Amino acid sequence: MPFCFSDQPLAFECEWQEMTAMSERRRYPRFTAWLPLRLTEVAGKIESEPVTLITQNISKAGVSFPAPRWIEPGEIIKVTVTLLGFGPGGKDVQVSGEGRVVRVEPGIKPGWYKLAVTFGEPPAGEEPGWHKLAAAFDEPPSPATSS
């Protein structure tokens, strides 16, 4: 059973996403998670006014979120996800990552798009923040933190 933050002020659903023909290529399961996400850079260009968006799902290797503009598949983007109240003393934690857009679909709202982004494997000997965040899905809560 994946680790849930059910006692935390985040919106997670701990259930496996249904597999489709497209999702069979995924190495890691995705989990529904509504977290604040800021798109900070696209194709090497820093966003002058990053907009706060909301993730739709997350895994060890990627994230899906709606965006108010088309970003070409293959483009490299940088995002920052906020974990509200997960830091020391209940402070917010910012987790940043760089990934490649692998899929763009029309969104429900006109002019919006659903982006799927994959993050590369961490360099040897290092564990970037994104992989630390996603690792929480694999680890059960320790007895000291479970209620």
Side-chain angles (χ1 to χ4, degrees):
M1 176 90 154
F3 176 55
C4 289
F5 296 104
S6 59
D7 62 333
Q8 300 294 329
L10 297 176
F12 279 95
E13 287 183 13
C14 293
E15 60 185 44
W16 298 95
Q17 295 289 310
E18 284 189 36
M19 298 296 283
T20 64
M22 178 145 323
S23 63
E24 289 175 8
R25 298 184 320 211
R26 295 180 179 150
R27 292 183 294 166
Y28 303 106
R30 287 192 174 255
F31 300 92
T32 301
W34 297 280
L35 303 168
L37 174 143
R38 291 179 66 96
L39 180 63
T40 58
E41 190 173 311
V42 177
K45 296 179 183 171
I46 296 174
E47 295 290 289
S48 59
E49 294 182 31
V51 177
T52 299
L53 305 167
I54 301 293
T55 64
Q56 288 183 329
N57 64 52
I58 190 171
S59 79
K60 269 187 160 184
V63 66
S64 176
F65 61 94
R69 68 179 215 196
W70 175 274
I71 298 176
E72 197 66 36
E75 291 290 354
I76 302 298
I77 67 169
K78 289 185 181 178
V79 297
T80 299
V81 174
T82 302
L83 301 174
L84 301 170
F86 268 77
K91 295 194 179 201
D92 295 348
V93 174
Q94 305 289 322
V95 180
S96 297
E98 181 178 277
R100 182 175 50 89
V101 176
V102 293
R103 189 176 68 250
V104 182
E105 301 171 352
I108 296 171
K109 188 175 179 180
W112 282 70
Y113 301 90
K114 180 178 178 181
L115 277 63
V117 178
T118 185
F119 297 94
E121 293 298 322
E126 293 182 24
E127 190 173 0
W130 186 262
H131 294 279
K132 287 180 183 178
L133 165 64
F137 291 112
D138 286 340
E139 300 171 11
S142 66
T145 59
S146 45
S147 357

